Amino acid sequence: MTVVAQTAGQGPRATARRLAGALHRRPRLRLALLLTAPLLWLAVLYLGSLAVLFVSAFWTTDSFTSEVVKVWSADNFHTLFTTPVYRQVILRSVGVALAVTALCVVIAFPVAFYTARVARPRWRPLLVVAILTPLWASYLVKVYAWRLILSQGGLCDWMLEPLGLSGPGFGLPATVLTLTYLWLPYMILPVHTALAQFPANLLDASADLGARPGRTFRSVVAPMVLPSVAAGSIFTFSLSLGDYITVQIVGGKTQLIGNLVYSNIELDLPMAAALGTVPVVVIVLYLLAMRRTGALSSI
Amino acid sequence: MEGIAIRLQGLRKSFGQTAAVAGVDLEIRDGEFFSMLGPSGSGKTTVLRLIAGFETPTGGSVELAGRDVTRLAPFERDVHTVFQDYALFPHMTVEQNVAYGLKVRRVPRAERLVRARGALAEVRLEGYGRRRPAELSGGQRQRVALARALVGRPRVLLLDEPLGALDLKLREQMQVELKALQREVGITFVLVTHDQEEALTMSDRIAVFHQGRIEQVGAPAEIYERPATEFVASFVGTSNLLHGESAQRILGSPGTYSVRPEKIRVLKESALADEPDLAGATGTVAEVVYLGDATRFLVDLDAGGRLTALQQNLETSAEDVAAYRGARVRLTWHRRHAVRVPGAR
Amino acid sequence: MRITRTLRAAAAAALLLTAAACGSSGSGGGASPGGLNPPDLKAPSALGRTEGQVNLIAWAGYVEDGSNDPKVDWVHDFEKQTGCQVHSKVAASSDEMVKLMKTGEYDAVSASGDASLRLIASGDAAPVNTALVPNYKDVFPDLKLQAWNSVKGKAYGIPHGRGANLLMYDTQKVNPAPTSWSAVFDDAARYKGHVTAYDSPIYIADAALYLKATRPELKIKDPYALDQKQFDAAVALLKKQNADVGEYWSDYLKEVSAFKSGDSVIGTTWQVIANLAASEGAKIKAFVPKEGATGWSDTWMVSAKAKHPNCAYKWLDWIVSPKVNAQVAEYFGEAPANAKACALTGDKNFCATYHAADTAYWKRVAFWNTPIQQCLDGRTDVKCVPYAKWVQAWTEIKG
């Protein structure tokens, strides 16, 4: 009687154990079970949507009904490359992304150098937190704050007034400035980490061999931190290239590629898709370029 | 006439409240293999960094070949350093590492290459030029660091515990190579080490550091056989001191005396040892340590104090020596081997 | 809620009439503007029993049941009185409205001028028997049977409310006070970098409206019916204006802040923005310049496939009833359609502020319409530039 009850009680548990044992003996099965869901997610939702984007760029729209006509044609891409305004906007967008990235590098280096090497060690984590804090604030709040700063008679004008200057107002410089502010932490963090881990004796070694600080920076620090800078630039570049809200708020009349996608999406989905593939292609090219620096392994 | 490569005068360096170097005067001659020996925290590495220019002294001066370089940056001094962990540039090849100093000094590319290869040959690393430091073993990296520091033919080469990270066999081999290399290139080598054996093997002269000061400067034999202070006596070789009362009883005069363990013979208590130039004392064997080629006896003296004696195992075996534990013995040594330590209290 | 006006304006980017297709096939017969020839649908002659529920498509802020703001609720009383349970779907654009209406799942929609004609032409919206909507009699006459809510004298919906696109200027910085749109076109350089304009292709009509008055040789009759030559002239004017524009606005908050800070000193606006900016201390004035203005007007329409037509008619009557029309107009910030609503607004000056009863005012307003190939002004000898081209041109104007 007791025996029967016991076996019954242990039934499910024994099965579970057998199952666990089976899984333990078959690592491939285990891996498959573990990865199926995330891989499906990646393939179907992520790559799938990219594929749909690309495919739909080859469709057209009925100009009367604005309904998508599923007939293959490269018209959209033809328009894209032959219409001067599109070319101009694409170049402007890439230019903004590059400018933001360059500014981020220039600003991030001294800041990261300070937080990683100069500041007292017990202050460093706090400084890193301080750098990250803006990331917790809402994107829109930050951009609107910059709108206030850059507006007529705003903080920027007020500070430049004694010098007989005025702020840049709304426009392309304001956009670059605001985007730089927005994405700066993404650049500082990897550079900070790289500098924090940078072996101090390499600086000594370089100086010892006769290199002045500038030379040491160029030949030793920069090449070793470069992968991290490249990693950070992947964020600053792609986030800038995809942005269309900041430019609406502080960009004055400037339009970037995101704005074109946005304004086409209701009326001409295929054209919007064609426009949308441009940043994707640019970013893929950028990633390929950055991969050579070893950036992808330091993200 | 031998010139002075390095002259330190009243050198002091404090980090906050701690004085790492508390007044060092030292002259190192041209072409000398000079060691700075001391336990960790004794200030020897700080002195090295002061010579290299990585630190600025709190007081005193550093002269290189008669020129005051106290306030000069590292890159303005004709001194190269081999770092404890080599500090090779990981993003450069071995050849680029070695040629870096030349490149910085704008040596033409072709000459740079020839000299870098030559330096690599000197440290027996021909054909490794294209590799990255990460692809080398510890000993190989050590030699790259050496080649990198030597290629520019500095007046002085500073070596900061260069062999510390190597295993025993390799270390012994490198000691010999380093010494040979130094003789070959004729550059002044300043070696920082905490390993007394290393210092004794390679150096022409040794400075023993203790608490930011130099306790004694001298040739290895001098340091070993005639330690100037109690600290030197105990740090270099095994501490074997006879103090006051027991010294009075055994040697006939008070003071502190050092007797090196290998100079002491262990005899049966009954053995007669009343030769005039021999000193001796009786005691009980407290511990016997079998070392393979030798045996170490720790003997508690009847006159007070304890001495260590080292005996070659010429005829004895492990079983024989074990029988000595607790035995009564007589220790004897030549009177001249009991060296008075002048600096001791 | 007022921000939805922004969305819908963006959705002016959503027109393109199927109508045009119909029109082109029957180019001989179209007597009505644009040559619209919708399917022959009948409006009901009498109402039957209510069906117990009604499905609505609306702009945000038009069908409020208190879930956004407990004080803003005109749905529950309707449900109590009629027994019609309200299910509403908020649409973000005119395009979405049209798409949703095509499903046949919905009974009524609050369509703007850019969507209404499409629904009529495609047969998705049925004519409305205004006799079955008692409150229709109180709707301002100048809203009845207009180009965007009727075809050939047949009503296709009940007007909901309207607004004009005004010229707003900073009274301290703009001297002398402007009287004409020339202030933002030919004379825009005086306020270089501080001129603002509405960020939508439909703004091309504003330029056309100005050209209609200032360049008679272009013979513009309707700013939404532009042939290629007229269109090019409008686009050229806007490209010239672009040099002086500080920024385009599509978000009403953005314009309020720009006028408050002085980044913008002159440009188009809506009454609600002008009120808000003034209430926040901006020294501004907004008015209809001598050339007139563009504007917008919304219409409640009934689906041709409505499953609950009786409840839909009840809703149409309810939403233009004086009390509710006053509520919705005040909440949204537009001029109500029902004349009697003016007595019931919370702010007694509301109707005056929004010119609700000012017929002369609205006479000068060209309400948004959908540019199609078939010229809306009745011309048949030329083709007009369709909205898709307006969108492209707008991108090029901004550069």
Side-chain angles (χ1 to χ4, degrees):
Chain A
M1 198 55 208
T2 11
V3 176
V4 174
Q6 249 175 16
T7 10
Q10 282 183 350
R13 209 185 287 176
T15 316
R17 193 176 303 156
R18 254 202 312 280
L19 202 65
L23 281 176
H24 184 74
R25 282 185 295 277
R26 293 179 184 77
R28 278 169 177 281
L29 178 69
R30 210 170 38 184
L31 195 68
L33 284 176
L34 199 67
L35 289 184
T36 308
L39 278 181
L40 266 179
W41 175 272
L42 185 74
V44 175
L45 292 173
Y46 191 74
L47 296 177
S49 59
L50 269 182
V52 169
L53 173 79
F54 191 65
V55 166
S56 57
F58 287 96
W59 293 340
T60 44
T61 321
D62 186 307
S63 66
F64 287 132
T65 60
S66 132
E67 265 166 29
V68 174
V69 182
K70 296 182 182 172
V71 177
W72 293 93
S73 115
D75 283 0
N76 289 326
F77 288 102
H78 186 254
T79 318
L80 200 62
F81 294 121
T82 52
T83 315
V85 68
Y86 287 146
R87 264 205 315 252
Q88 201 180 320
V89 170
I90 290 167
L91 285 179
R92 183 186 298 145
S93 305
V94 173
V96 165
L98 288 175
V100 169
T101 302
L103 264 178
C104 280
V105 173
V106 170
I107 299 173
F109 240 110
V111 173
F113 189 78
Y114 181 80
T115 59
R117 300 220 78 112
V118 181
R120 284 160 186 266
R122 63 199 178 102
W123 285 107
R124 289 175 193 170
L126 279 175
L127 287 170
V128 171
V129 168
I131 287 164
L132 291 182
T133 309
L135 291 181
W136 300 338
S138 152
Y139 170 96
L140 278 179
V141 168
K142 286 182 284 184
V143 180
Y144 271 106
W146 272 95
R147 189 176 162 86
L148 287 180
I149 292 170
L150 293 166
S151 73
Q152 195 84 2
L155 189 65
C156 195
D157 278 355
W158 180 75
M159 288 202 309
L160 290 172
E161 205 182 357
L163 307 171
L165 299 168
S166 66
F170 302 139
L172 209 52
T175 309
V176 172
L177 200 63
T178 307
L179 287 174
T180 301
Y181 164 79
L182 282 176
W183 313 136
L184 189 59
Y186 294 99
M187 181 62 83
I188 294 181
L189 259 201
V191 176
H192 167 90
T193 311
L195 287 176
Q197 291 167 351
F198 194 91
N201 61 7
L202 292 188
L203 302 178
D204 285 347
S206 179
D208 184 69
L209 291 165
R212 287 163 192 282
R215 177 77 199 206
T216 301
F217 182 82
R218 263 181 298 133
S219 299
V220 178
V221 180
M224 285 186 68
V225 178
L226 184 70
S228 299
V229 172
S233 81
I234 289 171
F235 292 113
T236 56
F237 184 82
S238 50
L239 286 170
S240 303
L241 197 63
D243 189 90
Y244 67 98
I245 296 172
T246 297
V247 65
Q248 273 183 358
I249 296 172
V250 298
K253 56 192 174 181
T254 314
Q255 44 182 1
L256 297 180
I257 194 150
N259 306 105
L260 294 191
V261 174
Y262 182 73
S263 66
N264 270 291
I265 205 135
E266 286 283 359
L267 202 73
D268 193 347
L269 192 65
M271 190 66 218
L275 284 162
T277 52
V278 172
V280 174
V281 169
V282 172
I283 286 165
V284 166
L285 290 176
Y286 191 80
L287 283 176
L288 288 176
M290 289 301 113
R291 196 182 62 150
R292 321 188 77 209
T293 68
L296 299 189
S297 48
S298 32
I299 288 182
Chain B
M1 194 199 121
E2 274 188 339
I4 300 298
I6 301 171
R7 177 180 285 129
L8 310 179
Q9 282 177 316
L11 198 61
R12 283 183 294 112
K13 176 68 184 177
S14 306
F15 297 103
Q17 296 295 312
T18 349
V21 179
V24 164
D25 296 283
L26 184 63
E27 283 183 359
I28 299 174
R29 296 170 204 135
D30 265 334
E32 197 173 24
F33 197 124
F34 192 91
S35 289
M36 301 201 280
L37 176 66
S40 58
S42 60
K44 59 189 191 303
T45 297
T46 309
V47 168
L48 183 100
R49 292 177 63 79
L50 286 165
I51 297 172
F54 303 141
E55 314 277 358
T56 15
T58 315
S61 68
V62 179
E63 269 175 39
L64 288 178
R67 191 164 73 114
D68 187 347
V69 298
T70 315
R71 300 284 147 192
L72 295 188
F75 48 82
E76 294 165 312
R77 303 184 184 198
D78 192 13
V79 169
H80 288 349
T81 308
V82 175
F83 292 85
Q84 186 169 12
D85 45 8
Y86 321 137
L88 299 179
F89 305 123
H91 60 292
M92 298 182 192
T93 62
V94 165
E95 207 167 81
Q96 287 168 333
N97 262 286
V98 175
Y100 182 76
L102 302 175
K103 194 174 169 187
V104 165
R105 287 173 202 276
R106 299 179 201 280
V107 174
R109 194 182 158 74
E111 188 190 336
R112 223 151 67 202
L113 232 93
V114 172
R115 287 176 64 179
R117 294 210 175 125
L120 282 172
E122 269 173 359
V123 297
R124 299 195 290 109
L125 276 179
E126 304 99 324
Y128 285 84
R130 307 253 147 186
R131 301 213 191 167
R132 301 248 168 202
E135 296 164 328
L136 302 180
S137 71
Q140 288 169 331
R141 281 183 225 181
Q142 212 282 317
R143 289 190 219 164
V144 175
L146 205 55
R148 184 177 71 176
L150 274 175
V151 71
R153 287 293 184 265
R155 196 171 188 95
V156 174
L157 187 74
L158 305 175
L159 301 107
D160 184 9
E161 306 256 7
L163 310 178
L166 305 181
D167 61 55
L168 183 64
K169 271 253 158 59
L170 201 53
R171 194 156 68 220
E172 286 174 348
Q173 184 196 334
M174 282 303 295
Q175 284 171 6
V176 177
E177 283 185 25
L178 255 183
K179 180 68 193 168
L181 191 69
Q182 193 262 339
R183 255 186 232 121
E184 198 182 310
V185 298
I187 289 174
T188 311
F189 274 35
V190 179
L191 174 81
V192 159
T193 182
H194 65 272
D195 184 339
Q196 40 128 342
E197 197 186 314
E198 194 169 291
L200 292 173
T201 345
M202 295 196 284
S203 317
D204 297 326
R205 287 198 304 150
I206 297 172
V208 182
F209 279 75
H210 181 48
Q211 292 178 346
R213 285 193 177 81
I214 294 179
E215 296 263 324
Q216 185 176 5
V217 183
E222 225 179 306
I223 296 279
Y224 186 77
E225 294 185 354
R226 286 190 298 281
T229 67
E230 195 174 333
F231 173 78
V232 175
S234 60
F235 186 73
V236 183
T238 309
S239 160
N240 231 11
L241 295 172
L242 289 170
H243 293 286
E245 189 81 346
S246 52
Q248 171 75 46
R249 278 186 210 158
I250 296 165
L251 298 166
S253 67
T256 301
Y257 291 85
S258 162
V259 193
R260 292 301 179 190
E262 69 278 6
K263 311 287 188 196
I264 301 173
R265 293 176 67 193
V266 182
L267 305 168
K268 294 212 169 81
E269 191 185 15
S270 54
L272 289 175
D274 278 340
E275 289 175 50
D277 52 348
L278 282 186
T282 52
T284 312
V285 177
E287 192 55 75
V288 183
V289 183
Y290 181 68
L291 301 171
D293 56 347
T295 301
R296 183 181 296 148
F297 296 84
L298 276 65
V299 179
D300 287 332
L301 301 178
D302 297 337
R306 170 183 274 197
L307 283 180
T308 302
L310 196 69
Q311 300 287 283
Q312 294 296 315
N313 290 334
L314 294 173
E315 283 142 20
T316 41
S317 69
E319 290 80 31
D320 301 333
V321 297
Y324 271 96
R325 195 168 284 127
R328 296 282 303 161
V329 292
R330 174 179 295 275
L331 304 179
T332 64
W333 59 86
H334 271 278
R335 282 195 179 277
R336 62 185 163 94
H337 287 147
V339 181
R340 196 186 156 101
V341 181
R345 294 145 298 175
Chain C
M1 269 312 103
R2 284 159 182 160
I3 199 165
T4 53
R5 178 52 72 186
T6 309
L7 293 174
R8 105 169 35 196
L15 333 180
L16 304 177
L17 305 184
T18 0
C22 305
S24 63
S25 61
S27 56
S32 65
L36 265 183
N37 211 355
D40 190 22
L41 296 169
K42 290 279 175 285
S45 52
L47 288 184
R49 285 172 58 91
T50 55
E51 296 88 350
Q53 59 171 315
V54 63
N55 299 330
L56 307 173
I57 306 167
W59 293 113
Y62 276 14
V63 182
E64 290 295 310
D65 61 1
S67 51
N68 289 320
D69 179 349
K71 282 174 283 187
V72 180
D73 177 6
W74 49 84
V75 166
H76 282 108
D77 284 345
F78 170 74
E79 289 175 338
K80 248 180 266 165
Q81 281 191 21
T82 62
C84 296
Q85 197 72 34
V86 173
H87 305 290
S88 75
K89 162 94 183 154
V90 170
S93 69
S94 288
D95 232 13
E96 195 184 345
M97 287 191 169
V98 173
K99 269 181 206 156
L100 289 170
M101 279 297 276
K102 284 188 184 301
T103 64
E105 297 291 315
Y106 298 89
D107 302 307
V109 62
S110 64
S112 293
D114 48 5
S116 52
L117 285 188
R118 287 166 76 178
L119 294 169
I120 296 169
S122 60
D124 289 311
V128 170
N129 183 351
T130 53
L132 300 178
V133 182
N135 283 311
Y136 185 70
K137 67 177 191 300
D138 298 322
V139 168
F140 291 110
D142 57 348
L143 276 172
K144 291 177 179 172
L145 299 179
Q146 296 299 310
W148 59 90
N149 60 20
S150 69
V151 174
K152 295 175 189 164
K154 204 195 279 183
Y156 273 81
I158 304 298
H160 171 102
R162 57 183 164 178
N165 301 319
L166 310 171
L167 178 61
M168 176 154 79
Y169 64 98
D170 187 315
T171 51
Q172 290 180 320
K173 293 184 181 138
V174 176
N175 267 309
T179 57
S180 157
W181 286 111
S182 65
V184 294
F185 290 118
D186 288 330
D187 302 332
R190 289 187 54 188
Y191 305 106
K192 191 172 179 58
H194 299 289
V195 174
T196 189
Y198 181 47
D199 189 3
S200 164
I202 206 75
Y203 183 68
I204 294 172
D206 287 49
L209 186 87
Y210 173 69
L211 291 177
K212 179 183 166 187
T214 54
R215 302 257 311 267
E217 74 276 14
L218 286 169
K219 298 198 176 81
I220 295 173
K221 276 203 280 179
D222 178 343
Y224 304 98
L226 304 175
D227 62 33
Q228 195 63 49
K229 206 175 121 219
Q230 297 164 335
F231 184 75
D232 290 346
V235 169
L237 182 62
L238 289 168
K239 279 187 176 163
K240 191 166 142 279
Q241 183 201 38
N242 179 263
D244 303 317
V245 168
E247 65 178 0
Y248 295 93
W249 63 273
S250 52
D251 174 351
Y252 82 110
L253 279 176
K254 190 171 141 182
E255 201 192 14
V256 170
S257 84
F259 268 90
K260 268 168 63 188
S261 64
D263 287 299
S264 296
V265 300
I266 192 161
T268 46
T269 194
W270 296 323
Q271 187 69 55
V272 55
I273 297 176
N275 296 350
L276 201 61
S279 77
E280 291 183 16
K283 300 273 181 288
I284 53 93
K285 228 174 214 160
F287 70 107
V288 176
K290 63 183 183 192
E291 295 89 356
T294 57
W296 39 269
S297 170
D298 294 340
T299 306
W300 279 98
M301 310 178 90
V302 178
S303 169
K305 288 163 267 186
K307 295 193 182 72
H308 317 100
N310 296 314
C311 274
Y313 267 82
K314 291 283 181 212
W315 174 260
L316 262 55
D317 190 43
W318 177 258
I319 197 69
V320 291
S321 63
K323 179 75 198 156
V324 175
N325 202 226
Q327 268 180 295
V328 71
E330 246 187 320
Y331 180 57
F332 192 90
E334 62 189 339
N338 189 317
K340 288 186 176 165
C342 289
L344 299 169
T345 52
D347 170 7
K348 287 305 158 203
N349 287 325
F350 183 79
C351 276
T353 316
Y354 283 82
H355 305 276
D358 191 345
T359 316
Y361 179 89
W362 298 112
K363 270 231 169 70
R364 298 160 60 206
V365 173
F367 289 105
W368 281 348
N369 214 331
T370 309
I372 55 172
Q373 210 164 30
Q374 219 68 33
C375 293
L376 292 166
D377 58 5
R379 282 182 291 169
T380 51
D381 52 336
V382 287
K383 280 195 172 157
C384 280
V385 178
Y387 191 74
K389 290 275 188 324
W390 285 46
V391 177
Q392 255 178 32
W394 185 242
T395 301
E396 280 167 27
I397 287 163
K398 290 203 290 175

